[in-house]
């Protein structure tokens, strides 16, 4: 589905050069439920930005369904992301001037989904993340964990093949976090939706069928379990 | 040190009214190491905003060292906060256009601390949060957990009597999070610095000498242990 081949990433700005990833190889198959763990600063967010095409490697390449991202036009890449990938940012990236409903339905608008169906799917996804009735609030009127769940809802509502989630339960209590994990596992098992998330939560790591460990920008362990 | 008496807080905007806290009583003594836990949306951030004076109760009152906040002038309150309270926000609130050093030393500038001493204390606090040498980076050049630690450093560097921390380890792996907790415990035991933090992390809850549980804006448990 997605593969990274010898991907390295350095951030450069003025005289600051930071090597965030060193020659990372990773193949993500359809239907996986993979956790990426590692210390703060080890490269988890950077790796997610590379495999989503939201940022470009310094060297190496990323293939989406066999095609190298660097060979895609900007249009082709953004269409691919819109139709196949849902991204949940570590800092949510909700649009402050849009309501919860508008934030969530944004991508369905781009896909040309009709108004009645958008309304119904927003209501349904809000139920799934335990935020019923929050459609008309603005992000600033939500708690941190509620904002996080709206970011999750936004990524899920367009039913993408792949969800890339950057620490999706960081601001959730264990009960709410596990409910979210259950929902994701169910979509994975019943609909074959692929999940790749970075996490610090050992509960999530234990419930993933594959665990990748990063340290200082390198994969030090890649373990598939039952 | 700080006490909340029958504090209630409702957020109102247009036709939306949200009761975030219902008649909360809480007395925080000097030298405590208190964790506030509870589900996402239960009122943790709101409670921290009330006891820091960063926001005003709808009813009830908050006393700082015996004096009601409502009887203080705006100047008196902000001076008190500057000199006695360090606040770590759930979303860090780092200033994007300032470097890590400038973000951290801001409050020392307000306090009139000299340049050499500011430099030294910034270097020292960055060591304490395991971010040595990061002085000249901008917040956007840091990982999520690194930004969180800069927010922690900023609150700590002015050596306040009281630290109020809103989920200070949410974006940290367990190792980095525990190192932070060790540092806070040491300041608490050796310098008598008071810590009140909201958290979802059971490790932190277990290592606190007092645990307050919130549910739907009410305190449902307030337990002091050894
Ligand atoms: N500005 C606001 N306007 C309206 N409602 C708000 C506002 N801020 C918070 N709320 C609501 O008040 C309640 C308590 O919010 P608070 O941020 O204190 O929760 P929390 O316990 O910190 O949650 P989390 O663990 O998710 O950070 C929630 O129901 C939230 O939606
Ligand atoms: N824009 C940037 N400019 C310079 N360095 C950066 C930039 N973004 C990230 N870095 C650095 O790259 C490294 C990896 O960052 P990344 O955000 O991928 O870590 P992470 O594993 O997601 O950490 P966390 O668990 O704290 O979120 C870190 O050392 C970080 O400081
Ligand atoms: Mg990250
Ligand atoms: Mg909160």
């Amino acid at each position: 589905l997605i593969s990274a081949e010898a991907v390295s990433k350095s951030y450069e700005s003025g005289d600051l050069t930071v090597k965030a990833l060193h020659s990372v190889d990773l193949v993500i198959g359809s239907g996986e439920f993979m956790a990426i763990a590692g210390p703060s600063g080890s490269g988890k967010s950077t790796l997610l930005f590379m495999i989503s095409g939201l940022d470009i490697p310094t060297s190496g390449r990323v293939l989406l369904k066999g095609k190298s991202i660097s060979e895609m036009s900007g249009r082709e890449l953004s269409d691919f992301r819109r139709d196949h990938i849902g991204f949940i940012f570590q800092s949510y990236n909700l649009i402050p001037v849009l309501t919860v409903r508008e934030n969530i339905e944004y991508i369905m608008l781009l896909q040309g989904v009709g108004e009645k169906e958008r309304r119904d799917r927003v209501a349904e996804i809000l139920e799934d993340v335990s935020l019923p009735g929050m459609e008309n609030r603005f992000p600033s009127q939500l708690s941190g964990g509620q904002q996080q769940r709206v970011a999750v809802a936004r990524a899920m509502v367009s039913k993408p093949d792949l969800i890339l989630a950057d620490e999706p339960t960081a601001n959730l209590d264990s009960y709410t976090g596990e409910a979210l994990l259950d929902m994701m596992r169910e979509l994975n098992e019943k609909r074959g939706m692929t999940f790749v998330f970075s996490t610090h939560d050992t509960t999530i790591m234990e419930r993933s069928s594959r665990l990748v460990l990063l340290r200082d920008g390198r994969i030090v362990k890649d373990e598939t379990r039952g």
Side-chain angles (χ1 to χ4, degrees), chain A:
Chain A
L1 183 54
I2 292 190
S3 56
E5 299 181 353
V7 164
S8 291
K9 177 67 178 178
S10 287
Y11 292 107
E12 304 218 10
S13 136
D15 55 350
L16 173 75
T17 299
V18 180
K19 290 208 84 193
L21 291 176
H22 296 71
S23 201
V24 165
D25 296 307
L26 188 68
V27 178
I28 298 162
S30 181
E32 295 216 52
F33 201 83
M34 176 196 301
I36 300 173
S40 169
S42 56
K44 302 180 296 296
S45 296
T46 302
L47 179 54
L48 289 173
F49 289 143
M50 296 297 106
I51 63 185
S52 58
L54 284 170
D55 197 356
I56 308 167
T58 306
S59 65
R61 58 181 194 153
V62 176
L63 305 165
L64 300 179
K65 297 201 174 181
K67 183 163 187 181
S68 171
I69 288 183
S70 50
E71 286 160 30
M72 290 181 177
S73 66
R75 184 70 205 246
E76 219 179 327
L77 177 57
S78 63
D79 284 357
F80 185 91
R81 269 208 303 277
R82 180 197 62 208
D83 296 334
H84 297 285
I85 301 178
F87 200 101
I88 303 165
F89 292 86
Q90 190 165 1
S91 52
Y92 325 145
N93 290 20
L94 298 180
I95 300 170
V97 298
L98 297 185
T99 61
V100 164
R101 178 206 310 289
E102 291 164 343
N103 265 286
I104 293 173
E105 72 177 358
Y106 190 74
I107 211 153
M108 288 193 284
L109 275 173
L110 293 180
Q111 291 172 330
V113 176
E115 183 176 352
K116 165 116 185 43
E117 184 180 351
R118 293 199 312 271
R119 214 175 204 24
D120 292 348
R121 283 165 61 178
V122 167
E124 182 185 10
I125 201 85
L126 284 176
E127 287 282 337
D128 290 343
V129 298
S130 312
L131 292 178
M134 294 273 189
E135 279 90 340
N136 298 319
R137 289 216 202 169
F138 287 91
S140 60
Q141 296 172 323
L142 300 172
S143 78
Q146 289 168 341
Q147 292 173 20
Q148 185 153 42
R149 283 179 275 160
V150 171
V152 171
R154 176 178 64 178
M156 310 272 263
V157 77
S158 57
K159 304 179 192 172
D161 306 322
L162 167 68
I163 293 274
L164 300 173
D166 203 347
E167 301 188 31
T169 65
N171 278 280
L172 301 178
D173 55 287
S174 55
Y175 182 79
T176 313
E178 289 208 37
L180 209 78
L181 189 64
D182 289 343
M183 169 179 71
M184 293 180 175
R185 282 246 60 148
E186 183 165 349
L187 286 165
N188 174 252
E189 285 159 13
K190 294 192 179 164
R191 292 232 207 115
M193 209 185 257
T194 308
F195 286 87
V196 177
F197 34 81
S198 70
T199 185
H200 291 309
D201 189 327
T202 45
T203 316
I204 298 192
M205 291 179 216
E206 284 160 15
R207 295 187 53 188
S208 306
S209 52
R210 184 173 167 195
L211 177 61
V212 168
L213 286 184
L214 277 178
R215 182 183 295 281
D216 297 324
R218 291 178 177 82
I219 292 182
V220 298
K221 188 176 191 179
D222 186 343
E223 177 186 71
T224 306
R225 322 84 164 284

